[in-house]
Amino acid sequence: MLTRERRRLDEMRPVFERGQVRPVISEVLPLEEVRRAHERLDSGHGTGKTVLDLS
């Protein structure tokens, strides 16, 4: 399964690198707010992804 997913990501990489597809990000949260991120995922919050900032 991981090999198949890796292959799909490798096939999609050029599209992302050319800027033809952009992810929809609804919010960026610091790692300390991981609980809030999980709550938003569990609630089915709608469009966009919640990103955890690890820096």
Side-chain angles (χ1 to χ4, degrees):
M1 181 172 162
L2 292 178
T3 302
R4 181 180 63 199
E5 294 302 315
R6 174 59 190 238
R7 187 170 46 244
R8 288 183 68 203
L9 288 174
D10 287 342
E11 290 170 358
M12 293 169 40
R13 181 184 322 228
V15 176
F16 283 99
E17 288 175 345
R18 289 190 300 263
Q20 292 174 307
V21 174
R22 293 187 181 186
V24 177
I25 298 172
S26 62
E27 66 181 328
V28 178
L29 299 172
L31 183 58
E32 294 80 21
E33 293 189 43
V34 67
R35 174 175 277 184
R36 181 174 165 209
H38 276 281
E39 289 169 353
R40 291 198 36 90
L41 287 172
D42 291 342
S43 73
H45 63 84
T47 61
K49 299 295 182 186
T50 299
V51 176
L52 288 175
D53 184 350
L54 305 178
S55 61

